[in-house]
Amino acid sequence: MVGPAEMILPSPELLAVSRRWYQGIFNGNTKILRDYLSTVEELRFIGTGEGEYWRGSAVRDGVGDFFEEIPVFDEVEELEAEAYENGETGWSSFVHRIRFVGVASESVHRTTLIFALDGAAWKIVHRHASVPTPNIDIVGAEQMAIQRLVDAARDEGPELNQTEGLASVLFTDLEGSTTLAATLGDKRWSTLIDQHFQTVEGIVTAHRGQFVKSLGDGTLSSFQSANEALLAAINMQEAVNLTDLEPRLGLRVGIHTGDVVLARGDFFGTVVNKAARIMSSANAGEILVSDETRVMVSGNHEFNFVDAKSVTLKGLPEDHTIYRLEWTR
């Protein structure tokens, strides 16, 4: 009789599958990652950062966005790699030494992938990564902020005023908030961010928009009118700029217009993801908008769009034209 331990065998096949998964990450080809994931609700995705514990379909929906926020890889060295299978299950363990473009220090990433056979294909049912350094220190960016905002809005299913037609989705984010929070302390930062959210929500409401969600230092809002979304964005930047209080906040805004429908999964899809990606391309004090949003208000000479450029937005196919909306008067 063959014992359980004797059924565990090295798996060159799983080693190859795992390496293709990692190559998708390292090469920025994140759109293929969901194809490696199982469709079962027992799917789990675990990382090092706070809140990096995803379940089921949210993993498949969010995995591309998660890895898209990572800066460009400069050097990747595979230090260890092994894979085993036992009947219809298997697993692999990898250790990589990684350096990102623009980040001086390197970091060591340890990852385990657990697989189950789905027909004739191996699919990941569990991913667990361990990085002994916070994301902000490794990649120089607060990687999870916007994705947590998108996921929270999706998971909680807010009651939207608009259920179909065109919507202009507006994201905001505060640049350098982690450093500010650490400098000010929890109590003062909490008061400051609450005041900021109240200001943003008041402006959204005044422009007949819906304040959908706030989380961390970001906000998500929706407008039935692209014109009102742009005016709201300008008012937000003016409010931040006119305050004489310190510290000064660096507000980034991104807007995209597209179709929404009643199903919340459709609303929290491409329209929201593109708006988030556009916002991530902005610098403090900027309002960036999609070409679709610009076209919606092309007859309104109140707005001045400059610095048109074609950009690649992570997780979205092809290139996209975005504009900077001038807001200083």
Side-chain angles (χ1 to χ4, degrees), residues 233-249:
I234 291 173
N235 287 165
M236 291 174 193
Q237 290 289 14
E238 288 177 338
V240 169
N241 188 59
L242 290 174
T243 182
D244 55 1
L245 299 177
E246 292 186 354
R248 301 299 295 271
L249 300 177

Side-chain angles (χ1 to χ4, degrees), residues 283-305:
N283 295 316
E286 287 187 338
I287 302 169
L288 296 185
V289 306
S290 66
D291 192 37
E292 292 85 346
T293 301
R294 181 194 63 84
V295 168
M296 291 296 295
V297 298
S298 58
N300 189 335
H301 301 295
E302 183 177 5
F303 302 117
N304 187 28
F305 300 98

